[in-house]
Amino acid sequence: MTGVLTEDEALELLAYLVTSARTQVDEAAEYGPLRLLTAARRLGEAIAARASDPTAEFVAGPLTALPELAVPKAGREEYVARLDQVCRDLATLLSDRFAS
C-alpha cells in the first residue's frame, strides 16, 4: 500500500503535535492525554479512507469511543480502563498486521 497521508496532512498533524507540546508547558498535566488523543483521532480521520479494513475499523471504532475530554477527575478509573482497552485493541491490530 502507498502512503496514507499527504504531505499537507502530515504537516498539519506535525504542527498540532509541536504546538501542543508548547501549550502543554503552561497547562495542567491532565491536558496531555487529551491532546494526544486528539492527535490520534486526527490521524485516524486522515488515514481511514486509504487504510486497510482492519485499520479503518480501529480508527472508526475503539479510537473514537473514548471521550474527547481530559482525564476526568470523577470516573478516572473507568476512563483509564477504557484507554487500556484501546491500547490492547491497537496491540492486537499491530500484532495481526505485522505477524506475517
Side-chain angles (χ1 to χ4, degrees):
M1 175 177 276
T2 60
V4 293
L5 284 179
T6 66
E7 184 174 352
D8 287 350
E9 290 167 332
L11 284 172
E12 179 182 344
L13 183 58
L14 180 68
Y16 180 82
L17 290 169
V18 170
T19 58
S20 290
R22 173 55 188 99
T23 303
Q24 187 59 42
V25 171
D26 300 319
E27 288 181 329
E30 291 82 17
Y31 285 100
L34 164 73
R35 297 205 179 278
L36 290 169
L37 287 172
T38 298
R41 282 191 187 93
R42 286 184 178 191
L43 176 59
E45 290 169 4
I47 69 171
R50 294 168 275 192
S52 66
D53 288 342
T55 298
E57 289 171 16
F58 174 78
V59 299
L63 185 58
T64 60
L66 288 167
E68 291 193 49
L69 303 172
V71 176
K73 293 181 191 288
R76 184 179 190 284
E77 289 179 15
E78 178 186 346
Y79 176 82
V80 172
R82 290 176 70 190
L83 187 54
D84 286 345
Q85 184 59 52
V86 171
C87 290
R88 284 189 292 275
D89 293 342
L90 180 56
T92 299
L93 172 68
L94 294 172
S95 293
D96 292 347
R97 181 171 178 87
F98 296 111
S100 50

